[in-house]
Amino acid sequence: MGNEFAIRLITEADAGEVLEIYKPYVEDTIISFEYKAPDLDEFLHRIKVIISEYPWLVCLHGKMIVGYAYANRHRDRTAYQWSVDAAVYLSPSVHGKGIARILYETLFSILRLQGYYNVYAGISLPNEKSVGFHKTMGFVEIGIYNKTGYKHGSWHNTAWFQLHLAEHLDNPPKPKKISEVVESAIFLANISSANRRAGNVI
């Protein structure tokens, strides 16, 4: 029991562990376009801002956080309010186990419950694994920003992908904040389902 995988919402106390997962993506890859990893205070601030409105999930293996996925504001203008950006990051030890899929599918279920319609993902290229993964999740490539980021001695393109979460209706209600849905039966059922699936990961 103590060594199983489990999914839950992030807490502020998780900031240090989650930052340690993120740091190598900044320092060693072009997956993140940041040059320097944020310090703990800055990263905690980012978490607080995001979870005031959006879901941020973590995956634990036993007591250790090994992955996370979150949604965030897509653009600031009011008409964009039904759209979000999403990202998922894993520790190398759990790549290929299906954790990213469970995190994303749970995240998207929560976003539907909140009333969001579109999810976008930006992928710095080359990154065949992430491109392939997002396509298997139902994302469709909608465009490429050419030579949009310079890192590690090279210019890199960014591919943008879109996933529709629901049928687009006229006069959609304003999306709910994550705090407005966390006590709902549907939210709890989504987390329970995620944990049943995660419990079967070897």
Side-chain angles (χ1 to χ4, degrees):
M1 289 291 293
N3 206 36
E4 290 183 350
F5 290 93
I7 307 290
R8 62 168 171 77
L9 288 174
I10 198 171
T11 69
E12 293 180 13
D14 297 326
E17 278 191 83
V18 174
L19 177 56
E20 289 305 308
I21 293 174
Y22 180 58
K23 275 183 179 178
Y25 288 95
V26 175
E27 296 169 352
D28 304 329
T29 79
I30 55 91
I31 290 172
S32 168
F33 273 177
E34 292 196 79
Y35 274 28
K36 181 180 179 181
D39 63 24
L40 183 57
D41 287 342
E42 166 60 22
F43 199 68
L44 178 57
H45 174 71
R46 295 182 190 182
I47 291 172
K48 288 180 178 179
V49 170
I50 290 171
I51 65 176
S52 67
E53 293 189 48
Y54 305 98
W56 187 320
L57 299 169
V58 293
C59 177
L60 295 93
H61 188 209
K63 296 182 178 181
M64 181 180 296
I65 295 175
V66 293
Y68 65 94
Y70 66 94
N72 198 7
R73 188 182 305 277
H74 177 61
R75 294 288 188 273
D76 287 334
R77 300 291 172 86
T78 305
Y80 288 117
Q81 67 182 298
W82 293 274
S83 299
V84 299
D85 291 346
V88 59
Y89 291 92
L90 301 178
S91 296
S93 62
V94 295
H95 284 177
K97 292 182 176 291
I99 296 298
R101 175 175 289 273
I102 296 172
L103 282 168
Y104 249 1
E105 288 180 348
T106 307
L107 184 76
F108 299 158
S109 294
I110 296 169
L111 290 169
R112 289 188 189 95
L113 179 61
Q114 290 180 263
Y116 290 103
Y117 284 80
N118 309 303
V119 180
Y120 296 92
I123 302 173
S124 48
L125 303 177
N127 191 338
E128 292 183 7
K129 287 184 178 180
S130 186
V131 168
F133 169 69
H134 281 80
K135 287 181 177 179
T136 66
M137 292 297 303
F139 281 82
V140 176
E141 184 177 318
I142 55 173
I144 293 180
Y145 292 178
N146 288 305
K147 295 181 172 23
T148 190
Y150 186 85
K151 188 176 181 183
H152 292 172
S154 299
W155 285 100
H156 297 278
N157 298 344
T158 301
W160 280 94
F161 290 79
Q162 181 182 50
L163 175 69
H164 290 160
L165 294 173
E167 180 184 355
H168 290 71
L169 303 177
D170 292 336
N171 302 312
K174 183 178 180 179
K176 296 177 181 178
K177 293 184 177 181
I178 184 65
S179 59
E180 298 179 73
V181 302
V182 292
E183 300 297 332
S184 70
I186 298 176
F187 176 88
L188 296 174
N190 285 333
I191 296 297
S192 178
S193 174
N195 278 300
R196 285 196 298 272
R197 295 173 62 194
N200 292 324
V201 174
I202 299 174

